[in-house]
Amino acid sequence: MAHRWRNDLTRADVTPPGLWTDRRRLLVSGAAAAALGPAVAIAEERLEPNSFEEITTYNNFYEFGYDKTDPVRHAAAMVTEPWSVRVDGLVERPGEYALAELLEGLEAEERIYRFRCVEGWSRVVPWLGVELADVLERIGVRGEARYVAFETTVQPDAMPGVRRGVLDFPYVEGLRLDEARHPLTLLATGLYGQPLPNQNGAPIRLVVPWKYGFKSTKSIVRITLVAEQPPTTWSRMAPQEYGFYANVNPNVDHPRWSQATERRIGGGLFSRRQPTLMFNGYESEVASLYEGMDLSRHY
Ligand code: MTE
């Protein structure tokens, strides 16, 4: 790819707690924040990852149930080896790819990203992954393709939520092709330098950091290139609440709650909510993808 996103954050870049507190204070006083713009920007770019425990014990993975602790309690039973991904639709090289074959020669790199759930909580995750763009290149996208659809495994024996039918499974999601090819978009295979825990979507899941977390399909078994916008689980369930784009936007409230602020997991029960950033803080990288679109309508 011509343009590669520079990964200039490492775990050595953690925010000194004082600086983080300063930023919060600065954000409270808008005028001071404006005057000290560059200082705020620097603090903002130094992300302190949540702990491994925080990332792996509070999850959404409805195949295992509704509760945030269902995934960690049940996901060990999911079979992740061997794993293959069916690649079909408008591609040059369709087929059933063993995971190792799909990723062969691509080196997973660490990306420390903000992660914002549509429910109003957030965290910072040190993912390990490859750019989806590189995998799309491998399978050969045909000219007529405009969207990529993703599908999650369905393993009723291991998945109480599937047995109870809490959603219409398989969980399906999709991206516009330019979003899928954006260098921020990852297929993650690990976090904290280790293979992905099952509850986080082992062995391979999508990560799209400027969108609400529900776009980030877990435990992917199928990637399909299509010409038309594909159906997605949450927009099918509640189209007035969850759109196809699902870009993080503090100015567009969910019909039942505000999206202006978020609760950072691990901050403690009484920690103050922090402002949600446009495109989850990735505005300068991705805003151009949506030029001319009414983001309050295409939510
Ligand atoms: N993928 C599948 N297959 N099933 C799900 O229920 N939940 C989504 C997303 N991907 C979900 C899924 C939602 S709502 C969120 S917020 C994230 O996964 C949570 O990812 P995490 O548990 O790794 O933080």
Side-chain angles (χ1 to χ4, degrees):
M1 285 194 41
H3 164 75
R4 293 192 79 88
W5 183 73
R6 274 174 43 81
N7 184 26
D8 40 14
L9 298 175
T10 70
R11 241 176 285 153
D13 282 321
V14 297
T15 314
L19 196 51
W20 185 250
T21 317
D22 282 353
R23 172 176 170 264
R24 286 192 174 188
R25 210 175 53 230
L26 287 172
L27 286 177
V28 170
S29 121
L36 294 167
V40 173
I42 290 164
E44 177 50 43
E45 275 323 296
R46 291 172 176 260
L47 297 173
E48 182 168 11
N50 280 91
S51 70
F52 183 82
E53 209 206 329
E54 286 158 357
I55 296 168
T56 58
T57 58
Y58 182 94
N59 302 97
N60 278 330
F61 201 159
Y62 282 83
E63 285 81 342
F64 296 101
Y66 278 129
D67 196 89
K68 294 287 184 283
T69 61
D70 281 333
V72 66
R73 286 194 294 125
H74 299 294
M78 178 170 67
V79 178
T80 60
E81 261 188 64
W83 194 269
S84 60
V85 179
R86 174 152 39 127
V87 172
D88 59 3
L90 302 170
V91 287
E92 305 287 355
R93 292 174 284 283
E96 190 81 29
Y97 287 70
L99 185 59
E101 196 186 348
L102 194 67
L103 302 178
E104 198 188 331
L106 302 176
E107 207 178 319
E109 54 176 291
E110 183 167 74
R111 298 277 183 92
I112 301 179
Y113 285 165
R114 295 176 202 84
F115 186 90
R116 169 66 155 82
C117 177
V118 73
E119 297 164 337
W121 55 267
S122 67
R123 56 183 168 222
V124 175
V125 184
W127 301 107
L128 210 55
V130 303
E131 291 183 10
L132 173 58
D134 290 337
V135 171
L136 292 177
E137 180 117 357
R138 164 151 305 162
I139 63 183
V141 176
R142 291 192 3 215
E144 319 89 273
R146 291 284 173 273
Y147 296 87
V148 192
F150 304 90
E151 193 176 304
T152 294
T153 185
V154 179
Q155 300 182 19
D157 290 347
M159 297 175 155
V162 168
R163 291 200 297 275
R164 291 203 306 272
V166 302
L167 288 179
D168 192 10
F169 296 110
Y171 192 98
V172 290
E173 258 302 339
L175 294 173
R176 219 169 56 191
L177 193 53
D178 58 343
E179 300 175 321
R181 283 184 166 142
H182 192 282
L184 282 173
T185 304
L186 291 189
L187 281 176
T189 53
L191 56 84
Y192 267 110
Q194 304 173 30
L196 272 183
N198 284 6
Q199 61 269 34
N200 293 91
I204 187 163
R205 59 100 48 96
L206 188 65
V207 176
V208 194
W210 70 93
K211 291 178 180 284
Y212 291 117
F214 68 84
K215 296 297 287 182
S216 293
T217 320
K218 293 181 169 182
S219 305
I220 294 170
V221 289
R222 185 174 180 191
I223 299 177
T224 310
L225 275 289
V226 292
E228 307 290 333
Q229 184 177 302
T232 64
T233 292
W234 287 104
S235 65
R236 219 158 42 185
M237 288 278 293
Q240 68 292 352
E241 301 197 356
Y242 307 104
F244 177 82
Y245 282 93
N247 291 314
V248 174
N249 187 342
N251 307 314
V252 176
D253 289 339
H254 184 278
R256 290 182 283 131
W257 58 84
S258 164
Q259 296 290 24
T261 63
E262 64 201 50
R263 174 176 65 92
R264 185 57 58 84
I265 297 294
L269 203 52
F270 302 105
S271 69
R272 250 186 305 158
R273 296 177 71 89
Q274 63 189 69
T276 285
L277 304 172
M278 188 65 198
F279 293 111
N280 204 23
Y282 300 97
E283 184 169 14
S284 59
E285 284 97 335
V286 301
S288 62
L289 297 179
Y290 307 103
E291 254 161 34
M293 265 176 70
D294 178 354
L295 294 175
S296 63
R297 205 164 58 80
H298 295 284
Y299 55 88

